[in-house]
Amino acid sequence: GGREGSRLSNASDDVPDKFTCPITCELMEDPVLAMDGHSYERKAIEDWLQRNATSPTTNLPLPSTLLVPNHSLKSMIVEWSEARKKARA
C-alpha cells in the first residue's frame, strides 16, 4: 500500500517532486529560481529571505537574493495540471 497513512486526497497526491516547493512541499503556482539553483514558490522564498540569507535547500549562504521567474517550470506545471483535470473529468 503506502497510501494508508495519507489523508491528502486532493492536489498533493501524485505531484511530481520537481513541481513542489521545497519550503511548502506543495504544488508551486508562481515558481521562481533562487541563486542556489533551486525553484521555490515565490511567496515562500520571499518570506524565507526576510529572515535568512541562506538557501533553504542547501543551508549555504546565497550570493544574492535575486529571484528569477521560472517560466518553463510554470508552463510544465500548468500543462500537468490541465492534463490531470482532463483525466479526472
Side-chain angles (χ1 to χ4, degrees):
R3 282 266 182 238
E4 299 83 47
S6 174
R7 287 186 187 78
L8 303 172
S9 58
N10 57 7
S12 57
D13 270 306
D14 303 309
V15 179
D17 285 346
K18 65 182 176 184
F19 295 168
T20 61
C21 174
I23 299 172
T24 65
C25 298
E26 292 178 3
L27 182 67
M28 291 184 275
E29 293 177 21
D30 186 10
V32 292
L33 188 64
M35 292 301 103
D36 61 357
H38 295 275
S39 291
Y40 303 94
E41 177 64 39
R42 181 185 298 276
K43 179 86 176 90
I45 189 67
E46 285 175 348
D47 289 349
W48 172 271
L49 292 173
Q50 286 178 359
R51 299 184 302 275
N52 307 277
T54 57
S55 159
T57 304
T58 65
N59 270 334
L60 297 171
L62 287 170
S64 162
T65 56
L66 180 69
L67 300 173
V68 181
N70 192 334
H71 296 296
S72 59
L73 181 58
K74 181 166 184 159
S75 58
M76 284 192 286
I77 291 171
V78 168
E79 282 176 28
W80 176 83
S81 297
E82 293 299 317
R84 227 174 106 122
K85 281 181 197 158
K86 286 184 182 136
R88 289 182 166 192

